[in-house]
Amino acid sequence: SDDVRLACCHALSVLFTKDVQGEASLEAVRRMAKMVKERHNQQGGRGIHPDVMNTWLSLPLRIHEDEAMAAKIAAQVKKKRAKKSEEAKATQDIENEMKEGEATVDKLELAKNQADTLHAVILTYFRILKVQDGAAEQIDSKVVDSNLLPCALRGLAKFSHLIHLDAVVDLLEVLKKLLENGDRLSTDSCVHCILCALKTLRGPGRDTIPVDMKQYLIPLYGILPRIGIPTNESSLPSTNADDAQSNDEGKVIEEVIQCLDHAFLQRRELSSTRLAGFLKRLAGSSLHCMPTSSVPLLACTRQIASRYSSSSSSKIERMLENEEDIVAEGVFSPDAEDPEHSNSHATSLWELSLLKYHVHPKVAEQSSNMAEGKLLKLPGEAPSKLCAQMKRDAREGHIEQKPMWKKHPLDTTASSRKKSRRRQNQVRFITPRRTANWHMQTN
C-alpha cells in the first residue's frame, strides 16, 4: 500500500542521511540496484515506484571518483602491509576495535564506501538510460516511457560533478540523443534532460568540454508552450487527478525556473535575438498557464529582462512599446523552432496588456510591474519563492485580495464635508450691483 511504501522510503532516506561510515548505505544501495536491474530487464522499469529511486537523492556523497580511486589504492597498500607480519596484523585488529569503541570515522573506509556507492548509483542511472560502456546506440521505447527516467536524470544532475570527465562526455551525448526524440518524452522528462545537461555543463570540466549551449536551449524553447497543458502522461494511480496534475505542474515549473536560471542568469547570453525569443515565449506561455505557474514565469521573465536591459546592445525595452512604434525588419514567426529565427524584435509583449486584467491579483501585479519596468524586490519576489508561495496558496485555496473602499449610496456626510472644505478654500470677489437707489448709499 501507499502508507507502507512511504514509510519504507522514509526509513531509507533517514538511513542514508544518518549513516556515518557508509557501510549500511552501500549494502542498501547494492540491493536496490540489483532489484532495479532485474525488474528493469523484465518489465522495463515499470515495477518500481519513482519514490524508491528518489531516496538516493538523500545520499551525502562528497567523494570524487578520482579521490575515491586514490583512497582505494591507499587501502590496498595498507592491507598488503598488514599481511606481511603477524604483529602488524594484530596491531591493526586492536586499532579497529579501538575505533569501533570510540565511534570514530575511518576516512579511508568512508572514501571507499562512498566510491562503491557512487559507482552503483551511477551505473544504475546509466542502465536506466540504456547506456553502458559510454555508448548509447539505440533508445528503446520502454525506456523513453519509463517512470524512472526523471528520477535518473534528477540523480545524475545532482551527482554529475562527482563522476569522471569521460563519463560526463558520454552523459551529454546520451542527453542529446534523448532530446532529439523529445516528442516521445513527457514534459517532465524533457525538462529534467535539459536541467541535467545544464547542471553538468556548470560543473568541473566545463572549460574543456566543447559543447554548444544551443543544442540544449532550443529544446527548452520548444518545451515552454507545453507547460500547464493537462495530459495523461503519468501512468501512476492517483486518488485525485486534479491534485496530481497540479503537483506535477508545480514540479515542472520549479525545474523550468532552474533551467532558465542556469541558462540566462548564471551565464551571460550574448545573442539578443535568442534572448528576445525566450522572453516572448515566456510571456505567451503565461497566458494559458494556471496562476500557480504564471506568477513564477512572469517573475522569472522580469528577472531576465532586468539583467539584460542595462546592456547597450539590448533591445528588450523596445518590446515594451507599441507595435506601431517599433521599427524592425521582417515579421515575427511564433512557430519557429529556433528562437534566433523567430524575429521577436519585430513584435511587442502585448501579452502583458491582457494579463494586466487577470482575475488573480498576483498575475495582474507581476504583468503591470513588468510593463512599467519595475525591478523585482528580492528575495521576497524571487521566482522560486513565489512558486512555493503560490503552491501553498493553491493547496489552501487562498487568493489574496486587496480591500477596495466604496462609498455607501446613503452616506452623505463625506460629500457634505468635501463641499464645506471647497467653500472654505475658495475666495470669491463679488462686485455690488448698481441699482436706482445708488444715491442713498453713504460713502
Side-chain angles (χ1 to χ4, degrees), residues 62-87:
R62 296 178 297 271
I63 303 298
H64 195 270
E65 196 168 358
D66 296 335
E67 299 176 357
M69 186 62 65
K72 285 184 178 180
I73 295 174
Q76 291 176 0
V77 172
K78 189 176 181 180
K79 189 176 181 180
K80 288 180 180 179
R81 289 178 181 176
K83 288 182 178 179
K84 290 183 179 179
S85 61
E86 296 181 357
E87 296 180 359

Side-chain angles (χ1 to χ4, degrees), residues 15-17 19-20 22-30 59-60 117:
L15 172 64
F16 295 151
T17 306
D19 190 12
V20 179
E23 296 179 354
S25 300
L26 175 60
E27 185 65 24
V29 168
R30 283 178 174 175
L59 288 168
T117 303

Side-chain angles (χ1 to χ4, degrees), residues 129-318:
L129 296 177
K130 281 295 184 180
V131 175
Q132 285 180 338
D133 298 331
E137 300 296 336
Q138 294 180 353
I139 300 177
D140 192 6
S141 61
K142 293 183 180 179
V143 178
V144 173
D145 296 334
S146 176
N147 294 320
L148 302 181
L149 182 59
C151 304
L153 294 171
R154 194 182 295 112
L156 287 171
K158 181 178 180 180
F159 303 122
S160 60
H161 65 285
L162 299 176
I163 62 179
H164 196 265
L165 188 60
D166 296 336
V168 170
V169 176
D170 297 336
L171 174 61
L172 293 175
E173 187 66 24
V174 174
L175 295 176
K176 181 181 177 181
K177 291 182 179 181
L178 283 174
L179 291 174
E180 290 177 356
N181 301 322
D183 297 337
R184 299 164 58 188
L185 292 173
S186 63
T187 306
D188 190 16
S189 300
C190 284
V191 174
H192 278 96
C193 278
I194 299 169
L195 181 60
C196 182
L198 294 177
K199 282 188 175 181
T200 305
L201 291 174
R202 295 293 299 175
R206 59 179 178 269
D207 299 330
T208 59
I209 301 176
V211 178
D212 187 10
M213 292 289 293
K214 183 178 180 180
Q215 59 188 0
Y216 300 109
L217 293 180
I218 291 179
L220 178 60
Y221 180 79
I223 204 68
L224 289 177
R226 293 166 58 179
I227 299 174
I229 299 177
T231 56
N232 295 325
E233 294 169 345
S234 178
S235 60
L236 297 176
S238 177
T239 56
N240 194 337
D242 296 335
D243 294 343
Q245 180 65 32
S246 61
N247 293 333
D248 294 342
E249 184 179 354
K251 293 179 181 178
V252 171
I253 288 297
E254 292 178 359
E255 306 295 340
V256 168
I257 290 175
Q258 293 183 25
C259 291
L260 295 172
D261 181 71
H262 283 83
F264 297 104
L265 298 178
Q266 295 188 16
R267 58 178 290 271
R268 187 71 181 179
E269 178 59 50
L270 301 178
S271 176
S272 60
T273 308
R274 181 185 299 169
L275 181 64
F278 267 93
L279 293 178
K280 181 64 178 177
R281 181 61 63 89
L282 285 171
S285 301
S286 301
L287 285 174
H288 65 267
C289 289
M290 297 293 291
T292 53
S293 304
S294 296
V295 173
L297 285 179
L298 289 173
C300 190
T301 308
R302 288 179 59 191
Q303 192 173 12
I304 297 173
S306 62
R307 184 193 176 186
Y308 292 92
S309 60
S310 59
S311 177
S312 58
S313 60
S314 178
K315 302 178 183 178
I316 297 176
E317 296 181 356
R318 292 173 48 185

Side-chain angles (χ1 to χ4, degrees), residues 51-70:
D51 291 344
V52 179
M53 299 294 298
N54 289 332
T55 56
W56 286 359
L57 299 176
S58 303
L59 288 168
L61 300 179
R62 296 178 297 271
I63 303 298
H64 195 270
E65 196 168 358
D66 296 335
E67 299 176 357
M69 186 62 65

Side-chain angles (χ1 to χ4, degrees), residues 7 171 320 437:
L171 174 61
L320 299 176
N437 297 329

